């Protein structure tokens, strides 16, 4: 652990990433305290007002305070990231550990399923499903989660294959511990490190996906703000209201950037054996 | 993405009278002199945006605005409207309507030819009629033609139509596009009109433009019909560019890649007023502003317990600040609606009950209806049920989304919680509107010059495919609607429609929000644009560009 | 070799069936009655016989497994049915019009990404924690972190509206048919510059970071160290020994990254008005056009499968151990 800490601390970008991630979580949690205005109350006398003392980030096309919307948007955007990645991770761990532990036909079947899901462009699947569902933040989280479990499954399975042969596992099996117990107590904790990296990289991907969906009008429902939907609305007025594009854009950029730097930092500080497997994640996450 | 959800009641959607048809004075670079003596020049290409793909080029069987936009240049109808929205003959030279409005006799022009050279005759009119009433024809405009008792063609240039009952709006229904019998008869008989090549890339009409080419998803090119019976159109080519993203349309406009844009292609009021004021834009385009013929409303599902009580609907009308709404959504470029008729049109009744913004009055009305207590979130409660409902509208319409957000905030002030659901058009209509799975909707109607709104308000029209989607039923309104469509005497009809407006204002099945102004911009090199009661594109055939300013030389 | 390829092909067959199953399930498990788009017309006064006709034509009145079976039977003959939308055109025709553009764009994007990402990855690995490494890290991640629709907007405003250098949208000038052949080609290419730039900027991160990682691993290997010890120049060590080995795993992720690129074309094609598969996918999803959505999913997934297969086989050619070992290196 100390080796990990030292390796991590050496990577300055990763440390910055970690700090920013923490700050963003704080913003989301403290939104009601930090937001100076009601984020959803229109005020038609203040449509597209430029940043000022009263509205540090200006107002949007319905006269709502952009700063307050971004602060509240942090809640929704981060929630989309956390929950959808949570779903994907849960499925991934369940399937990956089953495949890795049982092996044989079960393993082959699960891995074919992974292969199968990986040949579909994720955005196509999202579109196909979302267009048919009643839109809500929950469906969006669920659908992003349900299309993102494949990399985690692969990682967990690979870890299991490697760990299964280790002495401590073989030993607990030999003294007759149940399969579930072995998995839960001995293998899983050891396999968590790469999963953590996968989660760190999955969250920004989910935030970006949500913004893409907002762009097509399939994102979180109005009047609730997400960084993605503030940005996609602001786009049309960028020449006269730069603040509507620049601030939410910066927030997305900084968030995604810091999560990625953090994720890479954790990965680099990990056991070198794990690095390669995790490396693929970045490529797929869009 | 469709902007205007509710299309017309008939396929002709033109204006119902015009109070103030003025051109926007805000255009700078209009330096060329434009005296009446200037002779129109032929040539140049006009580029228009389409924000969706067309679904077919036989307008009679399509219902999307994009297909109609293209189709209207390829086909003609027996009658059409002039600038002041009076009927004029197009394929018909003249007509006679009987006093009881049960009979129409048309004399057809003899000099009309289809684009393939065949003459246009009464046979084609009869064929179009048979096509419209054929159960195998997938059209939304059957109703008007099923009212016909018989249609006769005593000679190739005469058509006599007899209706089973008097139908006041009958002449308007002949704004339907005429189809070529010699090409389409087989397809209609086989029930495969959609699959006819004329519906896709070989349309043949009698109109001012001929189909030239198409690249699906990219563009459609029409060329001037040089043999058009009223003289060739001046603009030699019309190119419709398919650009699905409304933001991209605006960018193309700024870069002069397009010659026109309007609400139909996603030009918002905000962009129109605040983002087109700079010199280069004002030099390149003229901005126009005139009252459109469509209104936007908040409709209640009257079958839902929340809205069964009229006082609740009236309370909501009082709780919505219409002025603020118009300022916020269209920057004031609309007029408040009091009913389903446009202010200034002959059927409009200005003396109906008004609902000024008055939250205390709203709260009082709600209390009368039993909504007295509030829960800890400040939401009204009756018998343990909080007053919380879902407000639906379609995606891709920025205005409606904003309306929903303002209404939500307004109603929250009087203790009503609103959840907004913005749903893509197809599922919105199919899964929610048709199945009546909504509490309230924000939608719009395009209204026709004829005030007959039987299909929207009559209690017999509450079926799943019918237009009385809010399930409004009032025996007196039913009677008035029936009477109104069966007489041709305008003074008499006005009495009926005046009374209907009074009742609707009292009942508030809709909160009528506003009639929006049409806000098109058109390239400043184009001459002959003259918006009127009939809109702006009624005389597209007469638009022209002076030689020195012609941008595209291809002929 | 041929045997190996055949075996891989055979193994892909169950996946092919899986693809059709997923494509079908995704849509039919969602709630809602799959009746014709016809009914979405608020004024729709469709006769009952017309609706019945449509339902029969599309087997909508049959149980799901029957629908699936019939759909598969037609699929085998490459008959994807007719679109539900009002144009009612054959699905295969609609997709056929749009597939080439998307393929072309993705191919070009892939090549450019590789051409840029490999050198960036190699250089930042050999100079780990250097200024170059840090700057490119931030640069590629910035690309990854910028929502592509926003980037596209900024690019268009700058390069098209303000500077007027490049066309905004579409694939051809409206008057392209009157241009000379050479000018047509130039015109076409200039339309591709902005969309491709946006995608490339967004896609650099994946490959360059992977390349960097792969290179870092290889450099630590014994044979590289011993090559160094032998006194070979750094250029030879990196350029000849390390690079070759570091590139191997990149080949395997080529196939994996393909669906991501195609998925990204949804937004790009929407913004730049490029009539490709992505745009078709959005439109058909919005119109609930079942046959087109299913056709799209099947075709894109199958093409990806084939690309993966090709990558596998290519990998087998380069590295015979895999061919004879029977197990693929990547799992």
């Amino acid at each position: 652990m100390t080796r990990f800490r030292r390796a991590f601390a050496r990577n300055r970008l990763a440390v910055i990433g970690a700090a920013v991630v923490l700050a963003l979580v704080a913003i989301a949690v403290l939104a009601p305290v930090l937001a100076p205005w009601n984020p959803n109350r229109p005020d038609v006398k203040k449509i597209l007002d430029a940043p000022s003392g009263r509205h540090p980030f200006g107002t949007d096309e319905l006269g709502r305070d952009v700063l307050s919307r971004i602060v509240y948007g942090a809640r929704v955007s981060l929630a989309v990231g956390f929950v959808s990645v949570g779903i994907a991770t849960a499925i991934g761990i369940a399937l990956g550990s089953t495949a890795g532990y049982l092996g044989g036909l079960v393993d082959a079947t699960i891995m074919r399923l992974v292969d199968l899901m990986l040949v579909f462009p994720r955005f196509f699947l999202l579109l196909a499903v979302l267009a048919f569902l009643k839109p809500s933040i929950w469906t969006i989280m669920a659908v992003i989660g349900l299309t993102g479990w494949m990399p985690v499954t692969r990682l967990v399975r690979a870890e299991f294959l490697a760990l299964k042969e280790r002495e401590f596992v073989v030993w607990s099996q030999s003294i007759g511990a149940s399969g579930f117990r072995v998995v839960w107590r001995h293998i899983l904790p050891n396999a968590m490190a790469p999963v953590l990296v996968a989660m760190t990289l999955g969250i920004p991907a989910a935030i970006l996906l949500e913004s893409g969906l907002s762009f097509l009008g399939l994102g979180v429902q109005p009047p609730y703000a997400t960084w993605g939907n503030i940005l996609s609305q602001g786009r049309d007025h960028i020449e006269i209201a730069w603040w509507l594009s620049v601030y939410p854009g910066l927030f997305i950029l900084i968030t995604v950037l810091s999560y990625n730097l953090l994720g890479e930092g954790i990965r680099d500080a990990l056991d070198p054996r794990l690095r390669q497997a995790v490396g693929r994640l970045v490529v797929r996450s869009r | 993405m469709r902007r205007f959800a509710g299309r017309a009641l008939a396929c002709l959607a033109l204006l119902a009278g015009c109070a103030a048809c003025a051109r926007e004075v805000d255009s700078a670079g209009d330096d060329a002199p434009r005296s009446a003596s200037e002779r129109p020049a032929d040539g140049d290409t006009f580029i228009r945006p389409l924000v969706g793909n067309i679904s077919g080029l036989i307008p009679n069987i399509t219902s999307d605005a994009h297909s109609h936009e293209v189709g209207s240049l390829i086909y003609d109808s027996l009658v059409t409207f002039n600038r002041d929205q009076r009927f004029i003959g197009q394929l018909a030279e003249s007509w006679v309507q009987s006093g009881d409005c049960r009979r129409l006799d048309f004399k057809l022009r003899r000099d009309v030819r289809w684009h393939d050279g065949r003459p246009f005759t009464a046979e084609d009119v009869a064929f179009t009629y048979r096509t419209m009433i054929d159960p195998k024809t997938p059209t939304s405009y059957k109703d008007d033609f099923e009212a016909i008792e018989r249609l006769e063609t005593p000679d190739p240039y005469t058509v006599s139509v007899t209706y089973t009952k008097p139908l006041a709006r009958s002449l308007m229904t002949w704004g339907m596009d005429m189809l070529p019998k010699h090409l389409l008869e087989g397809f209609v008989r086989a029930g495969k009109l959609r699959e006819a090549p004329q519906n896709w890339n070989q349309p043949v009409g009698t109109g001012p433009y001929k189909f030239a080419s198409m690249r699906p998803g990219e563009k459609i090119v029409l060329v001037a019909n040089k043999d058009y019976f009223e003289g060739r159109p001046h603009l030699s080519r019309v190119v419709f560019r398919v650009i699905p993203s409304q933001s991209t349309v605006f960018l193309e406009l700024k870069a002069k890649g397009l010659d026109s844009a309007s609400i139909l292609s996603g030009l918002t009021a905000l962009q129109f007023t605040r983002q087109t004021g700079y010199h280069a834009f004002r030099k390149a385009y003229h901005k126009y502003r005139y009252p459109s013929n469509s209104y936007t409303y908040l409709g209640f599902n009257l079958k839902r317990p929340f809205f069964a009580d009229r006082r609740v609907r009236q309370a909501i009308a009082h709780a919505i600040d219409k002025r603020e709404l118009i300022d916020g959504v269209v920057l004031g470029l609309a007029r408040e609606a009091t009913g389903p008729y446009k202010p200034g049109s002959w059927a409009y009744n200005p003396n109906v009950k008004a609902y000024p913004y008055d939250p205390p009055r709203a709260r009082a009305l709600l209390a009368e209806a039993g909504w007295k207590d509030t829960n800890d979130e400040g939401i009204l409660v009756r018998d343990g049920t909080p007053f919380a409902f879902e407000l639906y509208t379609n995606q891709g319409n920025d205005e409606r989304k904003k309306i929903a957000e303002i209404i939500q905030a307004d109603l929250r002030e009087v203790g009503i919680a609103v959840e907004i659901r913005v749903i893509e058009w197809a599922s919105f209509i199919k899964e929610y509107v048709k199945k009546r799975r909504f509490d309230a909707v924000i939608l719009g109607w395009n209204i026709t010059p004829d005030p007959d709104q039987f299909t929207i308000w009559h209690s017999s029209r509450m079926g799943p495919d019918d237009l009385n989607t809010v399930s409004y039923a009032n025996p007196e309104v039913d009677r008035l609607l029936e009477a109104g469509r069966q007489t041709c005497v305008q003074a008499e009809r006005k009495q009926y429609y005046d009374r209907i407006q009074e009742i609707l204002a009292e009942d508030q099945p809709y909160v009528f929000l506003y009639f929006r102004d049409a806000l098109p911009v058109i390239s400043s090199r184009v001459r002959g644009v003259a918006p009127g009661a009939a809109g702006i594109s009624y005389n597209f055939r007469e638009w022209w560009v002076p030689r020195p300013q012609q941008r595209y030389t291809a002929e | 070799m041929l045997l190996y390829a055949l075996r891989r092909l055979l193994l892909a067959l169950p996946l092919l069936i899986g693809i059709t199953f997923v494509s079908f399930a995704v849509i039919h498990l969602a709630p809602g009655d799959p009746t014709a788009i016809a009914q979405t017309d608020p004024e729709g006064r469709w006769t009952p016989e017309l609706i019945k006709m449509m339902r029969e034509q599309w087997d909508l009145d049959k149980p799901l497994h029957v629908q699936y079976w019939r759909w598969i039977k037609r699929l085998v003959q490459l008959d994807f049915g007719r679109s539900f939308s009002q144009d009612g055109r054959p699905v295969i025709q609609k997709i056929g019009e749009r597939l080439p553009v998307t393929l072309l764009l993705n191919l070009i994007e892939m090549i450019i990404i590789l051409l840029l990402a490999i050198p960036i990855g190699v250089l930042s690995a050999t100079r780990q924690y250097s200024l170059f490494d840090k700057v490119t890290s931030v640069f590629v991640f910035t690309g990854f972190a910028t929502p592509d629709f926003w980037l596209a907007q900024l690019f268009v405003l700058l390069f098209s509206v303000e500077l007027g250098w490049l066309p905004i949208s579409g694939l051809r000038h409206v008057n392209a048919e009157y241009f000379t052949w050479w000018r047509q080609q130039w015109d076409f290419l200039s339309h591709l510059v902005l969309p491709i730039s946006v995608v490339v900027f967004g896609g650099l991160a994946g490959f360059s970071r992977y390349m960097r990682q792969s290179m870092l691993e290889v450099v630590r290997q014994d044979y590289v160290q011993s090559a160094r010890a032998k006194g070979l120049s750094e250029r030879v060590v990196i350029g000849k020994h390390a690079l070759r080995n570091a590139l191997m795993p990149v080949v395997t992720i080529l196939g994996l990254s393909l669906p991501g690129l195609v998925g990204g074309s949804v937004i790009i094609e929407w913004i730049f008005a490029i009539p490709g598969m992505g745009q078709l996918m959005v439109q058909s999803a919005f119109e609930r056009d079942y046959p087109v959505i299913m056709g799209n999913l099947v075709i894109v997934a199958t093409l990806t499968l084939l690309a993966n297969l090709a990558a596998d086989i290519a990998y087998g050619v380069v590295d015979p151990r895999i061919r004879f070992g029977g197990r693929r290196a990547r799992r």
Side-chain angles (χ1 to χ4, degrees), chain A residues 7 10-13 111-113 115-125 127-129 131-133 154 157 161 201 204-205 208 211-218 228 231-232 235-239 245-246 249-250 252-254 256-257 260-261 264 267-268 272-273 275-276 279-280 282-286, chain C residues 11 15 18-19 22-23 26-27 30-31 128-129 134 137-138 141-150 153-154 157 202 205-207 209-210 212-214 217 220 249 252-253 256-257 259-260 262-263 266-267 270-271 277-278 281-282 285-286 288 290 293 296-298 300-301 304-305 308 327-328 330-331:
Chain A
R10 228 188 101 197
N11 186 344
R12 209 170 309 148
L13 283 175
M111 292 327 281
R112 281 297 86 71
L113 191 64
D115 285 348
L116 176 60
M117 290 304 288
L118 281 177
V119 294
F120 287 98
R122 195 171 179 186
F123 219 85
F124 275 37
L125 286 179
L127 275 176
V129 178
F132 293 90
L133 298 175
R154 278 199 166 161
R157 171 182 173 272
L161 288 183
L201 296 175
L208 282 176
S211 77
L213 291 172
S214 285
F215 167 77
L216 292 173
L218 293 169
L231 190 60
S232 77
R235 214 165 29 107
D236 280 339
H237 312 297
I238 195 165
E239 326 90 282
S245 288
V246 169
L250 277 179
I252 293 184
L253 206 145
I254 290 170
V256 177
L257 204 57
N260 273 293
L261 294 175
E264 283 216 335
R267 186 196 62 199
D268 286 349
R273 191 180 50 76
R275 287 179 203 156
Q276 188 121 31
R280 284 197 199 112
V282 182
V283 182
R284 247 305 287 187
S285 43
R286 251 198 191 178
Chain C
L11 278 175
L15 282 185
I19 287 173
V22 171
S23 307
V26 155
I27 287 167
Q128 198 183 8
Y129 301 128
K134 281 183 184 139
S137 290
V138 172
F141 276 127
T142 306
F144 177 78
T146 316
D148 34 13
F149 64 87
W150 188 48
Q153 183 94 5
L154 294 178
L157 270 175
F207 278 101
R209 295 314 277 180
Y210 192 64
R212 175 178 180 270
Q213 193 60 36
S214 177
E217 304 296 331
R220 290 197 195 103
T252 55
I253 62 159
L256 271 181
S257 66
V262 176
V266 167
I267 285 177
W270 191 258
I271 292 181
M277 292 286 275
M281 187 66 201
V282 182
F286 282 170
R288 298 191 148 201
Y290 288 61
I293 299 175
N296 257 339
L297 287 173
V298 169
V300 168
T304 313
L305 187 67
N308 278 338
R327 270 185 81 87
R328 279 196 284 175
R330 53 180 240 235
R331 58 177 70 93

Side-chain angles (χ1 to χ4, degrees), chain B residues 1 8 53 55 63 135 140 194 200 216 218-219 237 241 248 252 427 429-431 434 465-467, chain C residues 35 39-46 49 86-87 89 97 169 172 174-175 177 270-271 283 286 288:
Chain B
M1 255 166 255
N53 283 310
S55 56
S63 58
S140 309
R194 266 202 206 301
W200 190 238
E218 215 180 313
K219 66 174 180 182
R237 288 202 314 163
R241 279 203 54 198
T248 308
E252 280 282 5
S427 24
I429 293 298
K430 199 156 68 183
E431 297 297 325
K434 292 212 175 207
D465 285 340
D466 288 326
L467 302 184
Chain C
T35 39
Q39 288 185 48
T40 63
D41 182 357
E43 301 154 63
R45 305 228 18 98
W46 292 69
E49 60 248 62
Q86 285 193 349
D87 63 21
R89 297 169 65 219
E97 283 162 5
S169 66
R172 291 170 192 86
V174 277
N175 266 8
E177 51 265 51
W270 191 258
I271 292 181
Q283 279 155 356
F286 282 170
R288 298 191 148 201

Side-chain angles (χ1 to χ4, degrees), chain B residues 4 13 100 135 138 195 219 247 279 282 305 315 422 451 477 485 492:
Chain B
F4 272 105
D100 62 355
E195 291 163 36
K219 66 174 180 182
S247 316
H279 184 72
R282 286 166 42 183
V422 183
V477 170
R485 66 175 358 195
E492 193 186 336

Side-chain angles (χ1 to χ4, degrees), chain C residues 66-312:
Chain C
V66 179
Q67 284 188 40
Y68 177 64
W69 178 237
R70 294 200 175 189
W71 180 62
I72 289 287
K73 273 206 298 203
R74 280 185 277 126
L75 219 53
V76 174
Q77 305 155 33
L78 282 181
D79 175 9
F80 287 77
R82 278 177 180 274
S83 161
F84 275 17
S85 75
Q86 285 193 349
D87 63 21
R89 297 169 65 219
V91 174
I92 195 85
Q93 197 180 330
K94 280 184 133 172
I95 294 179
E97 283 162 5
R98 288 162 177 269
L99 192 60
V101 183
T102 305
L103 286 183
L104 178 71
L105 276 175
N106 279 302
L107 193 72
I108 301 178
E109 284 156 12
M110 185 68 106
I111 292 171
I112 298 180
I113 288 177
L114 286 177
L115 285 180
L116 291 175
I118 291 174
I120 292 180
V122 171
L123 290 176
S124 55
T126 51
R127 297 173 174 75
Q128 198 183 8
Y129 301 128
S130 70
L131 184 66
F132 177 85
D133 183 24
K134 281 183 184 139
V135 169
T136 52
S137 290
V138 172
F139 177 75
V140 298
F141 276 127
T142 306
F144 177 78
T146 316
D148 34 13
F149 64 87
W150 188 48
L151 195 64
Q153 183 94 5
L154 294 178
F155 276 15
V156 168
L157 270 175
L158 179 63
F159 295 111
S160 305
V161 179
E162 286 303 318
L163 298 171
W165 290 351
L166 292 163
I168 296 175
S169 66
L171 287 174
R172 291 170 192 86
H173 190 267
V174 277
N175 266 8
E177 51 265 51
Y178 300 93
F179 291 176
T180 59
W181 191 85
W182 281 110
R183 197 162 156 220
Q184 279 182 3
Q185 308 313 307
W186 173 246
D187 174 61
F188 183 68
L189 284 179
S190 67
H191 277 85
L192 299 185
V193 173
L194 283 182
I196 288 179
S197 313
V198 173
V199 175
V200 167
F201 190 35
L204 272 183
F207 278 101
S208 65
R209 295 314 277 180
Y210 192 64
M211 190 65 219
R212 175 178 180 270
Q213 193 60 36
S214 177
M215 198 68 190
L216 284 176
E217 304 296 331
V218 170
V219 172
R220 290 197 195 103
Q221 303 283 323
D222 296 341
Y223 65 92
V224 176
Q225 301 296 349
S226 66
R228 279 205 179 112
K230 269 192 278 179
L232 292 174
S233 76
E234 194 66 14
R235 257 182 82 111
V236 177
V237 173
I238 298 295
K240 218 169 145 192
H241 297 272
L243 186 60
R244 218 193 109 117
N245 283 290
L247 271 175
M248 289 289 221
V250 174
V251 177
T252 55
I253 62 159
L254 267 182
L256 271 181
S257 66
L258 204 69
L261 272 182
V262 176
S265 52
V266 167
I267 285 177
I268 293 301
E269 289 176 3
W270 191 258
I271 292 181
F272 289 103
I274 295 169
M277 292 286 275
Q279 212 190 73
L280 183 65
M281 187 66 201
V282 182
Q283 279 155 356
S284 52
F286 282 170
E287 291 185 340
R288 298 191 148 201
D289 193 343
Y290 288 61
V292 178
I293 299 175
M294 293 194 295
N296 257 339
L297 287 173
V298 169
I299 286 184
V300 168
T302 307
L303 287 177
T304 313
L305 187 67
L306 290 177
N308 278 338
L309 215 61
D312 270 356

